[in-house]
Amino acid sequence: MHDDRTLIEARLKRVLDERIRPAVYPESVPLEVAVWHAPGEPVPVAEGLAAEPQPVEVGARWGAPWGTSWFRVTGTVPEAWAGKTVEALLDLGFDENMPGFQCEGLVYRPDGTPVKGLNPRNQWVRIGTPVEGGEEVRLHIEAASNPVILDYHPFLPTQLGDKDTAGSAPQYTLTRMDLAVFDETVWQLVLDLEVLGELMAELPVDSARRWDILRAVDRALDTVDLQDVGGTAERARAQLAQVLAAPAVPSAHRISAVGHAHIDSAWLWPLRETVRKVARTTSNMTALIEDEPEFVFAMSQAQQWAWVKEHRPEVWARVKKAVAEGRFVPAGGMWVESDTNMPGSEAMARQFVHGKRFFLDEFGIENEEAWLPDTFGFAAGLPQIIKAAGSKWLLTQKISWSQTNKFPHHTFQWEGIDGTRIFTHFPPVDTYNCSMKGSEIAHAAKNFKDKGRARHSLAPTGWGDGGGGTTREMVAKAARLRDLEGSATVEWETPRAFFEKAEAEYPEPPVWVGELYLELHRATLTSQAQTKQGNRRSEHLLREAELWAATAAVRTGFPYPYEELDRIWKTVLLHQFHDILPGSSIAWVHREARATYRRLAAELTAIIESAQRALAGEGTTELVFNAAPHARHGVPAGGATTPAVAGGTTLTARENGGFTLDNGRLRIEVDARGLVVSAYDLAAGRETVAPGQAANLLQLHPDFPNMWDAWDVDEFYRNTVTDLTEAESVLPGEDGASVRIVRAFGDSRVTQVLSLPADEGRLVIDTEVDWHETEKFLKLAFPLDLHAERYASETQFGHFYRPTHTNTSWEAARFEACNHRFVHLEEPGWGVAVVNDSTYGHDVTRTVRSDGDHGTTTTVRVSLLRAPRFPDPETDQGVHRFRHALVPGAGIGDAVREGWRVNLPERHLTGAHEVAPLVTVDDDAVVLTAVKLADDGSGDVVVRFHEAHGGRARATLTAGFQVAEVTVTDLLERPLSAAAAPDRDGDRITVRLRPFELVTLRLRRA
């Protein structure tokens, strides 16, 4: 037989595009349109409906950037259409390739009832099926003219990312506003041909199944009368029935489709627009649930559910109904789909506490899965947090974006730093915006790495990023793929149903130990420094507020600020979303974030000061409050007293310029360039700085990645570096016991103060940068005379080791990594820590010296600032302040202690008396991360702690109050039935911990 395959495939494409798809709507009449442009920010629905619009024609330009326009469309269904299905086609000027990234609308009836959302892939509104003819149509559209930030030529700097700079030029052209007859038979034919055509393209050319489909398609196209598509569509569908009915082979891959709309809580749009995106999407999905009996939709991020409840009660009612039916499923159990690298221990725990509690309180639903499809890598401490929250599964897709190494599994056990394992799935469809294309389904089946042992995978199905969700076309395709020869099978299921099946069929999956590092988007650890600083400081202020408020409540009856703390926690958690904290959102988002963090700092400081005043009373005794989990200067952890008198620090001039700082523990040599050429540990008799090198070295790199400017730093940035060694001045600091260095470079200026606190083994480096560079990367380097093949980075509830070498492509790809408060390097018996108060990105490299001693230089570099121009063209311009400390002679315990110390400075207050800690622990390896009152208002004291050194610990917790009962709980403060109560002797509680083990105790007061 002659090969006519390409001829028929080309025929299918043209006939579909030019004849059959247009015949879905064979008749139409225009609607009358009027518009009212809301001034400023969006208005309440009632105000938009009541406004008096002005007539406007199709073809008119509309929509200033970030504006809201209320369209009113009116018309009459023609009498001749009686008995037919009629829809309104409402095209605001959409580009169908940009769902979620441009203008959108929410359709209302005149009484304010929401109908459904409009987006580039969902432009229809059902008027009637069938209609009687003569019906009056009146609809209102709340249309958001969100500008296109990520365009076909991506990553171009734009001022459109902030309403203050975006201008007022109309963004869109009103394209179509019609009533139209909807021919469902033709629409079904389109879906038949699309599914078969897409499947055919994925099958081997020499397979019989491909040719069976080809011949059936050819017959169907012969049957269609191109001048009367509607009249011949049913007969054409009959030609396809047999190939569509052929069942899948028994070994076919099985896909659980989950309706989905990944909605970034902020990204290329501000938070206030996400509120509306969620309303549009949930309106669409509840409508689709009513129309499609098998469809199941899952939505994560409790914050987004809370927005619907607060801002769109009429939509919320529909959502609650669909949840009750089991069709609209709360997923993930987190407040937002947060970044997981940078949030601190308690913040990561509270993501689950607040997320799971919302779904429990509203629906009585317990989430057992963490749902994080788009997060930029996963910290090694996360498995234990997921388990401690009462969950046991994790889903993500983002690791498939890694540039260098392909992850070896799709379903596996992920083991965290404490040994906890979480059953984890990476959907092999490699997208969280699956649209049921044949290429996507075939890719999932071919790509699945666990063939022969497992056969189930999950496909999050629906338009996302900017929302939109699943379409009726996706549902129709999934119905055809339910059991179709040549394809994987597709079935709508909840996340829970998928995980239960996957876990049952794969009882012994492979294990991956340690972090799930994304080999991409590494620069998100540094971009938007003030957003990151606001997060870090908010976390520590919350710790202080809870600690001192709880202590004051127990001791003095101080009113514990439950509601304020709950609200503030939720605000901080929201800003840990994976495009806010990582610094990858538009200027508007980060401008608002900076203002929010300032407001929260003021609120939390007021709570702290009020509680401390209640505790200290009125008096003249000089007190120091210590919120850190370790004693310092004689002040106990969690208490307040008059500190011990410290020794002094001497500052002397060096012969060749510069200064020497000496406090009896460290001797620091600062040369005439303001660089640290020696950091000598006097007790150990050991030098810290590598021979011939200088620490406190600022280094500047060009920074223009190939893609994803705010997200990425590419390895070639290291090829060019400028050491900033020229100093304008190197002078004694104002206190006479520090060194002040001023440098200028480019259009920027740096002022540093180096100080050596009395009786402490750390060099403190305060850096102020007035930053006005573009596409540059600023690092702070510490070359250390230390031989170490691995180093520790703090992560949630512990630390994680990474190699310093690049033996394999996996290690080489980790050229920029995350730490929390410290990194630590060690030779047996002696180590060095570098601690910080607000930075996350860093790199560690090693080289063997060629100076004759062949020693190893291991260099730690802290990432300070970047200057990408997309999506915020003014990223990080302005003044920034950082604090770091170099700690020679540090063991891992010293690194832990100094990391807390630099983030929780002492607070000074005059009062009447000392304050004893509410809870103490007798082992520095056991770190209290939270001391608070129980969230349920019972007055119970909740204490959360973990083993922080990586070893076994036996410690005694002593409560500073009478304890009636001790209960081991999960993160949500619920009793753990499987956990044995710890040994207790009155108010003394003995605990035994595994390395990095996390424990929460609830102490009922007598």
Side-chain angles (χ1 to χ4, degrees):
M1 179 179 288
H2 299 295
D3 187 350
D4 56 357
R5 176 180 58 83
T6 56
L7 184 70
I8 296 170
E9 291 171 353
R11 180 191 185 192
L12 172 62
K13 182 180 186 309
R14 185 175 186 193
V15 171
L16 260 177
D17 288 346
E18 297 184 23
R19 292 294 183 269
I20 302 179
R21 287 195 186 98
V24 171
Y25 293 102
E27 301 176 72
S28 64
V29 296
L31 289 160
E32 292 185 5
V33 188
V35 64
W36 175 71
H37 302 295
E41 284 294 278
V43 300
V45 173
E47 185 177 342
L49 293 174
E52 189 58 41
Q54 299 300 311
V56 66
E57 299 292 330
V58 168
R61 298 285 291 169
W62 72 279
W66 305 113
T68 300
S69 298
W70 282 85
F71 290 95
R72 184 186 68 196
V73 296
T74 56
T76 304
V77 176
E79 298 283 356
W81 291 0
K84 298 181 180 180
T85 297
V86 175
E87 295 182 343
L89 300 180
L90 307 173
D91 187 344
L92 300 172
F94 297 125
D95 178 341
E96 69 170 14
N97 296 313
M98 291 188 178
F101 290 92
Q102 54 174 244
C103 60
E104 301 171 39
L106 182 54
V107 180
Y108 294 90
R109 296 187 180 92
D111 65 359
T113 304
V115 180
K116 66 189 296 285
L118 297 177
N119 63 59
R121 296 297 182 105
N122 210 325
Q123 303 176 24
W124 58 274
V125 176
R126 181 64 57 85
I127 301 300
T129 178
V131 296
E132 295 179 358
E135 291 94 336
E136 294 296 324
V137 175
R138 183 186 180 98
L139 298 171
H140 298 262
I141 308 166
E142 181 190 17
S145 50
N146 302 331
V148 175
I149 306 294
L150 189 67
D151 214 334
Y152 287 102
H153 188 166
F155 317 123
L156 290 180
T158 175
Q159 296 296 327
L160 290 171
D162 195 326
K163 64 177 180 177
D164 292 344
T165 59
S168 58
Q171 300 292 295
Y172 297 100
T173 300
L174 199 61
T175 301
R176 186 176 187 182
M177 294 277 157
D178 288 346
L179 285 178
V181 171
F182 175 70
D183 190 326
E184 184 170 356
T185 302
V186 175
W187 182 80
Q188 296 284 5
L189 176 60
V190 169
L191 274 299
D192 290 344
L193 290 170
E194 283 185 355
V195 166
L196 290 171
E198 290 166 3
L199 172 60
M200 186 167 57
E202 300 301 322
L203 295 170
V205 173
D206 59 356
S207 71
R209 174 63 171 165
R210 179 162 182 162
W211 288 90
D212 285 345
I213 295 172
L214 185 79
R215 295 302 168 210
V217 167
D218 197 23
R219 291 192 300 272
L221 295 178
D222 287 342
T223 304
V224 174
D225 182 345
L226 300 186
Q227 311 309 314
D228 183 18
V229 175
T232 55
E234 192 64 52
R235 295 201 302 276
R237 292 196 71 202
Q239 298 294 332
L240 303 172
Q242 185 174 353
V243 288
L244 283 168
V249 298
S251 60
H253 185 68
R254 297 181 178 180
I255 293 176
S256 296
V258 177
H260 187 238
H262 174 70
I263 304 178
D264 287 311
S265 290
W267 181 27
L268 304 180
W269 44 86
L271 287 167
R272 67 92 153 139
E273 192 55 33
T274 313
V275 175
R276 302 201 296 176
K277 283 176 173 287
V278 174
R280 297 173 199 128
T281 298
T282 52
S283 295
N284 261 348
M285 295 303 94
T286 52
L288 192 61
I289 283 170
E290 291 172 359
D291 293 341
E292 301 289 348
E294 294 188 353
F295 176 61
V296 176
F297 181 76
M299 190 168 91
S300 64
Q301 307 192 73
Q303 170 69 89
Q304 295 186 0
W305 293 70
W307 279 334
V308 178
K309 181 182 180 182
E310 178 183 358
H311 295 282
R312 290 290 195 273
E314 65 283 2
V315 179
W316 179 248
R318 293 166 57 179
V319 168
K320 287 185 69 175
K321 178 177 180 292
V323 171
E325 295 168 353
R327 308 276 305 287
F328 199 121
V329 182
M334 296 176 67
W335 191 246
V336 295
E337 290 181 11
S338 73
D339 180 82
T340 75
N341 286 311
M342 291 176 281
S345 302
E346 272 304 305
M348 201 72 253
R350 305 298 175 96
Q351 286 286 352
F352 288 90
V353 169
H354 286 283
K356 293 194 71 168
R357 187 172 287 145
F358 181 89
F359 294 139
L360 283 164
D361 290 348
E362 294 293 336
F363 309 114
I365 290 176
E366 173 91 17
N367 295 102
E368 292 191 292
E369 75 287 335
W371 183 275
L372 292 162
D374 190 30
T375 297
F376 309 153
F378 299 88
L382 188 58
Q384 148 164 246
I385 298 172
I386 294 172
K387 182 178 180 181
S391 297
K392 58 183 180 180
W393 302 312
L394 169 67
L395 177 134
T396 185
Q397 180 271 321
K398 200 68 171 190
I399 300 298
S400 71
W401 285 40
S402 285
Q403 289 177 312
T404 305
N405 299 284
K406 287 291 185 184
F407 198 81
H409 321 295
H410 280 110
T411 303
F412 59 100
Q413 292 277 9
W414 178 29
E415 182 177 318
I417 56 174
D418 74 313
T420 297
R421 291 181 176 181
I422 294 295
F423 188 83
T424 302
H425 180 67
F426 293 172
V429 70
D430 281 351
T431 178
Y432 47 78
N433 296 324
C434 177
S435 63
M436 285 292 139
K437 283 184 180 177
S439 56
E440 294 169 337
I441 301 305
H443 177 75
K446 295 173 185 175
N447 188 41
F448 188 56
K449 291 182 169 61
D450 303 286
K451 298 183 189 76
R453 296 183 181 273
R455 56 194 295 196
H456 282 84
S457 72
L458 187 146
T461 302
W463 300 116
D465 289 317
T470 318
T471 65
R472 62 183 179 184
E473 287 79 15
M474 296 176 194
V475 176
K477 285 189 171 184
R480 289 159 173 79
L481 295 169
R482 185 180 183 90
D483 188 14
L484 183 62
E485 183 186 355
S487 171
T489 66
V490 175
E491 182 178 5
W492 294 108
E493 292 192 293
T494 65
R496 175 187 294 274
F498 161 75
F499 274 110
E500 287 175 345
K501 287 182 179 179
E503 202 168 25
E505 76 172 0
Y506 209 1
E508 295 184 8
V511 177
W512 181 270
V513 178
E515 69 181 331
L516 293 170
Y517 180 90
L518 177 63
E519 297 170 356
L520 193 73
H521 293 358
R522 302 168 181 89
T524 58
L525 302 173
T526 306
S527 297
Q528 298 287 0
Q530 290 182 0
T531 299
K532 292 171 169 58
Q533 193 166 73
N535 172 74
R536 178 76 70 84
R537 291 181 178 172
S538 296
E539 290 180 352
H540 288 85
L541 286 168
L542 276 161
R543 171 194 173 82
E544 288 192 81
E546 290 183 338
L547 170 65
W548 300 125
T551 305
V554 172
R555 295 277 166 71
T556 74
F558 178 82
Y560 192 80
Y562 291 102
E563 292 183 2
E564 293 92 331
L565 290 172
D566 180 77
R567 172 179 50 80
I568 293 170
W569 262 118
K570 288 173 179 175
T571 303
V572 172
L573 299 177
L574 166 59
H575 285 78
Q576 291 178 341
F577 178 76
H578 66 252
D579 277 307
I580 303 179
L581 180 54
S584 47
S585 289
I586 56 175
W588 188 347
V589 173
H590 293 288
R591 171 171 57 79
E592 289 190 330
R594 293 190 293 270
T596 297
Y597 286 130
R598 287 193 296 269
R599 186 184 76 248
L600 297 183
E603 290 187 62
L604 289 167
T605 299
I607 293 171
I608 292 164
E609 290 176 348
S610 296
Q612 289 179 339
R613 174 54 61 202
L615 286 163
E618 297 296 335
T620 59
T621 302
E622 295 290 333
L623 298 174
V624 169
F625 281 78
N626 175 23
H630 308 94
R632 54 184 172 188
H633 303 146
V635 183
T641 188
T642 302
V645 178
T649 298
T650 62
L651 176 71
T652 56
R654 299 174 76 238
E655 183 176 339
N656 296 321
F659 298 91
T660 300
L661 290 161
D662 193 320
N663 68 354
R665 295 182 61 178
L666 295 179
R667 185 173 64 241
I668 306 296
E669 303 282 345
V670 183
D671 70 6
R673 303 170 297 170
L675 301 178
V676 176
V677 292
S678 173
Y680 196 77
D681 181 349
L682 293 167
R686 170 140 182 186
E687 177 59 61
T688 306
V689 180
Q693 301 290 311
N696 188 43
L697 174 63
L698 290 163
Q699 295 184 303
L700 194 65
H701 296 272
D703 184 18
F704 189 64
N706 289 344
M707 295 177 68
W708 300 105
D709 296 39
W711 296 257
D712 280 359
V713 57
D714 289 329
E715 192 172 14
F716 54 71
Y717 88 93
R718 289 180 173 176
N719 297 346
T720 307
V721 61
T722 301
D723 291 344
L724 303 180
T725 58
E726 299 295 323
E728 287 187 357
S729 62
V730 180
L731 299 169
E734 293 180 358
D735 60 359
S738 59
V739 181
R740 184 176 185 272
I741 306 119
V742 178
R743 308 183 193 279
F745 59 95
D747 295 320
S748 302
R749 193 173 186 83
V750 176
T751 301
Q752 289 185 302
V753 176
L754 309 186
S755 58
L756 197 58
D759 291 340
E760 294 183 10
R762 60 189 176 120
L763 170 66
V764 177
I765 303 166
D766 288 299
T767 303
E768 178 180 288
V769 187
D770 190 3
W771 180 247
H772 297 284
E773 304 307 300
T774 299
E775 294 167 351
K776 295 290 192 293
F777 197 2
L778 184 65
K779 292 263 188 175
L780 180 63
F782 300 89
L784 307 175
D785 187 14
L786 199 74
H787 178 84
E789 293 183 358
R790 67 176 190 171
Y791 73 98
S793 293
E794 188 185 32
T795 189
Q796 293 101 4
F797 298 111
H799 54 268
F800 172 67
Y801 287 99
R802 297 186 183 95
T804 59
H805 58 76
T806 55
N807 280 359
T808 72
S809 59
W810 294 87
E811 284 116 17
R814 286 180 171 87
F815 59 82
E816 185 79 5
C818 183
N819 67 283
H820 286 188
R821 288 168 290 234
F822 70 80
V823 295
H824 178 255
L825 301 95
E826 191 169 27
E827 292 177 2
W830 193 85
V832 178
V834 176
V835 302
N836 72 83
D837 76 340
S838 59
T839 56
Y840 296 91
H842 70 278
D843 67 270
V844 177
T845 55
R846 66 196 296 272
T847 184
V848 174
R849 300 190 288 270
S850 57
D851 57 3
D853 75 348
H854 302 295
T856 301
T857 297
T858 305
T859 301
V860 177
R861 297 197 310 161
V862 176
S863 302
L864 295 182
L865 290 165
R866 300 182 67 236
R869 300 191 65 213
F870 182 88
D872 176 3
E874 302 298 322
T875 301
D876 280 333
Q877 301 300 295
V879 177
H880 304 268
R881 296 178 180 86
F882 307 97
R883 172 167 286 187
H884 293 84
L886 178 69
V887 191
I892 193 67
D894 301 307
V896 172
R897 183 187 65 250
E898 295 298 337
W900 280 102
R901 176 175 292 182
V902 78
N903 282 273
L904 284 167
E906 299 159 325
R907 292 183 182 270
H908 296 259
L909 190 70
T910 57
H913 46 75
E914 297 180 347
V915 178
L918 190 62
V919 179
T920 61
V921 61
D922 65 356
D923 185 344
D924 274 359
V926 178
V927 170
L928 302 178
T929 61
V931 178
K932 58 189 287 293
L933 294 194
D935 291 342
D936 62 6
S938 63
D940 293 353
V941 175
V942 171
V943 182
R944 187 147 38 246
F945 52 91
H946 71 288
E947 195 289 318
H949 294 181
R952 302 273 173 168
R954 182 183 185 278
T956 299
L957 272 71
T958 302
F961 55 91
Q962 287 189 332
V963 176
E965 183 182 12
V966 179
T967 306
V968 182
T969 74
D970 66 5
L971 294 180
L972 277 71
E973 302 166 9
R974 302 175 298 188
L976 288 175
S977 57
D983 296 335
R984 180 164 70 95
D985 180 8
D987 303 329
R988 295 165 54 86
I989 304 157
T990 301
V991 294
R992 296 171 176 81
L993 301 178
R994 303 185 312 273
F996 303 127
E997 184 178 2
L998 162 65
V999 176
T1000 304
L1001 295 182
R1002 183 169 180 144
L1003 312 181
R1004 185 164 62 83
R1005 292 151 59 192

